[in-house]
Amino acid sequence: MQEWRLEILLLLWLVCINGAPILLARWAGQKFNHPIDGNYLFIDDRPLLGASKTFRGLAVALCVSVLMGMLLAIPLGVSLMFGALSMAGDMTSSFIKRRLGLAPSAMALGLDQIPEALFPLLGCQAFLALGDAQVALVVLAFVVVELLLSPILFKLGIRATPY
């Protein structure tokens, strides 16, 4: 596979994984909207992750990751790991944002984008035969694409915030 094509496919995979929970939330509303953290507070009396990190979002992200992985001829285990690590990155961002006192969906440039792209790319780097430069390029591209898509999705009424 040509190098640039692989990078574009990885970027598309990340966008689909991270976009699926947003699209499902718009479509399903509050149905099956159970927060992963069970609404528990951390020792700082702030939410562990926040109400926007749900089992429904996690499940759809993993399903989309597996489906995309099938289309890309990626083994099931790698596809699951890629999706799980992307969601782990997203949850890590939320955990840090809550510790910083930022509200759910508050803008945190870089923190909102980098972990959800970096975690799966590093975690699956050997399986996908990715070089460090490819990982960096895809992460950078993901940040740019997410920053460009978010206001569009907001204007379309899909996202609750423009970032």
Side-chain angles (χ1 to χ4, degrees):
M1 189 176 311
Q2 294 175 350
E3 187 173 309
W4 63 269
R5 185 169 175 223
L6 173 61
E7 292 159 352
I8 290 171
L9 291 172
L10 290 169
L11 176 61
L12 180 61
W13 196 5
L14 287 166
V15 168
C16 289
I17 291 167
N18 288 283
I22 295 166
L23 293 173
L24 181 61
R26 173 71 171 111
W27 174 73
Q30 294 299 313
K31 293 177 190 165
F32 310 109
N33 195 25
H34 305 291
I36 291 171
D37 67 7
N39 293 317
Y40 288 106
L41 302 179
F42 195 57
I43 58 175
D44 59 4
D45 288 328
R46 293 182 178 136
L48 190 63
L49 300 174
S52 64
K53 301 303 166 204
T54 65
F55 286 108
R56 174 185 73 189
L58 176 61
V60 74
L62 292 176
C63 288
V64 166
S65 186
V66 168
L67 289 172
M68 289 291 296
M70 289 170 58
L71 292 173
L72 300 172
I74 305 290
L76 175 64
V78 176
S79 296
L80 274 172
M81 184 166 60
F82 195 85
L85 287 170
S86 185
M87 291 297 96
D90 187 44
M91 286 184 245
T92 299
S93 296
S94 291
F95 178 81
I96 293 169
K97 286 170 63 174
R98 298 304 83 76
R99 306 297 63 80
L100 294 173
L102 298 173
S105 300
M107 172 72 147
L109 184 61
L111 182 58
D112 284 327
Q113 300 87 17
I114 294 172
E116 60 198 50
L118 185 61
F119 285 20
L121 291 167
L122 287 180
C124 297
Q125 187 174 14
F127 296 110
L128 300 172
L130 299 174
D132 292 340
Q134 288 175 294
V135 170
L137 181 63
V138 174
V139 169
L140 178 61
F142 181 78
V143 170
V144 170
V145 167
E146 187 169 297
L147 290 173
L148 292 173
L149 280 179
S150 290
I152 294 168
L153 295 175
F154 175 73
K155 285 181 181 179
L156 293 174
I158 295 170
R159 282 190 71 105
T161 60
Y163 42 79

